[in-house]
Amino acid sequence: MFNGSYKKNNSSYLSLKTLYEENITVKSIAQELEFCHKNDLALEIQKELEKKNFDILAVEDQGEIIGYIERQELGEGKIAEYLKCFTPRELVSDSTPLIQLLHIFKNKTRVFVLENNSIKKLITHADLQKPPIRMLIFGYITLLEMRMSDIIMDKFGDDSWYPMISGDRLEKATELYRRRIDKNEDINLIECLQISDKFDIIHKDQELRFFFQIPSKSKGKKDANAIRKLRDKISHANELGLDMSWIEIIEVVESCGQLLEISESYRYEK
């Protein structure tokens, strides 16, 4: 379908991709575990958890975290009677990339963090609101935009895509382009398009739609709207996980990842 070989210098793109996929880890959002002793009275600890609105608490013995308890299970007796041991499925290494953590959280509400063979930290859904997660999601969508711009430029040149978006959208992109040129920015018109415009161009070209494995225009438009919506929420500092559930958010990030992976196989025209 696409002939020729790579002629683009992708070092900047690959450096950013490495940053998001490898260098930002769970350390950046993990919180210290609070704990009680295994011989503490369970009902007293339950009251403390209710005051703090905590669902779980780590349990220590002889200076080591040995497990955890859940607030709703506590009753008469000592904490040791309600102790739960950590299982491998509940643990992640502190060096785990954040992008992998998002995939893990698709089916979980919390994980414990293993640091130097000790469990000292916790991550819950609340921690997914922190800046590193927002930076990761926004960066991933930005990387996808970069790839789409490059591919559109290579496929259509600098102007043959004009009829593929509305006159109003083209006018807005042109105005932005002029303002940025006035500031001596090294940029092309395609980079001034909104992400929805770039998706429109790809969806309207059968060859590109096939390349990106988009089954239909309607499915492509639905996915594109979800990506744009998530990007806008992060741009405006809106709280995540409300009108879009965390499962939906993670699925959008996964969709971006799939499109990015596909884009890396694009072979630029000579």
Side-chain angles (χ1 to χ4, degrees), residues 5-251:
S5 58
Y6 284 105
K7 66 178 182 179
K8 290 272 186 178
N9 182 351
N10 291 320
S11 59
S12 296
Y13 160 75
L14 293 174
S15 294
L16 283 171
K17 192 165 185 283
T18 299
L19 171 66
Y20 294 126
E21 293 187 346
E22 298 178 16
N23 296 345
I24 306 178
T25 69
V26 301
K27 285 182 182 179
S28 61
I29 66 169
Q31 58 180 303
E32 293 288 338
L33 269 172
E34 294 194 28
F35 57 86
C36 61
H37 191 272
K38 71 172 186 177
N39 291 328
D40 288 338
L41 294 177
L43 287 178
E44 290 185 2
I45 296 299
Q46 186 182 53
K47 290 178 182 178
E48 290 299 316
L49 292 177
E50 287 172 351
K51 288 180 183 178
K52 295 182 177 181
N53 197 29
F54 285 3
D55 293 322
I56 67 168
L57 192 66
V59 178
E60 66 95 18
D61 182 39
Q62 298 181 7
E64 295 288 333
I65 300 294
I66 59 173
Y68 66 96
I69 46 92
E70 297 194 63
R71 183 180 69 184
Q72 73 271 17
E73 296 181 356
L74 298 180
E76 298 285 348
K78 294 185 177 182
I79 284 294
E81 299 174 42
Y82 304 93
L83 179 67
K84 289 188 171 185
C85 295
F86 299 109
T87 66
R89 293 178 60 85
E90 295 177 299
L91 304 177
V92 296
S93 166
D94 63 342
S95 62
T96 302
L98 273 189
I99 190 66
Q100 291 184 22
L101 180 73
L102 278 180
H103 301 324
I104 291 170
F105 259 86
K106 193 172 180 180
N107 300 306
K108 295 182 184 299
T109 58
R110 65 169 182 259
V111 291
F112 298 96
V113 180
L114 191 62
E115 185 177 289
N116 295 326
N117 296 320
S118 298
I119 298 167
K120 299 179 180 179
K121 295 182 179 180
L122 171 73
I123 299 174
T124 68
H125 269 167
D127 297 305
L128 300 183
Q129 300 286 351
K130 293 179 178 178
I133 288 285
R134 290 173 169 270
M135 183 175 71
L136 170 71
I137 296 173
F138 190 84
Y140 233 53
I141 295 173
T142 300
L143 284 176
L144 178 58
E145 273 205 87
M146 290 170 59
R147 298 299 288 173
M148 290 165 64
S149 294
D150 286 346
I151 290 171
I152 290 169
M153 173 66 82
D154 185 77
K155 179 75 163 58
F156 298 105
D158 204 24
D159 56 10
S160 62
W161 51 267
Y162 286 8
M164 304 179 81
I165 64 173
S166 69
D168 180 59
R169 300 303 304 169
L170 180 59
E171 183 178 344
K172 288 182 178 180
T174 302
E175 176 59 28
L176 177 60
Y177 176 68
R178 288 172 181 153
R179 292 203 306 267
R180 295 176 71 172
I181 286 295
D182 288 343
K183 295 179 181 179
N184 293 320
E185 294 184 19
D186 183 15
I187 198 169
N188 60 60
L189 183 57
I190 292 172
E191 292 173 287
C192 296
L193 294 172
Q194 297 295 313
I195 189 170
S196 54
D197 299 326
K198 297 172 187 178
F199 272 116
D200 279 348
I201 293 170
I202 288 172
H203 296 158
K204 289 177 181 177
D205 183 81
Q206 185 175 1
E207 200 173 45
L208 283 181
R209 199 166 66 244
F210 179 80
F211 170 73
F212 278 105
Q213 300 174 25
I214 299 169
S216 65
K217 290 182 182 179
S218 59
K219 177 64 166 61
K221 189 174 183 62
K222 179 181 177 182
D223 292 345
N225 286 339
I227 291 171
R228 178 191 52 76
K229 179 181 177 181
L230 180 56
R231 198 271 311 271
D232 290 348
K233 287 177 69 66
I234 294 173
S235 298
H236 299 135
N238 292 332
E239 185 173 354
L240 301 177
L242 295 179
D243 55 338
M244 287 181 77
S245 71
W246 275 108
I247 290 180
E248 290 173 323
I249 290 171
I250 293 168
E251 286 177 346

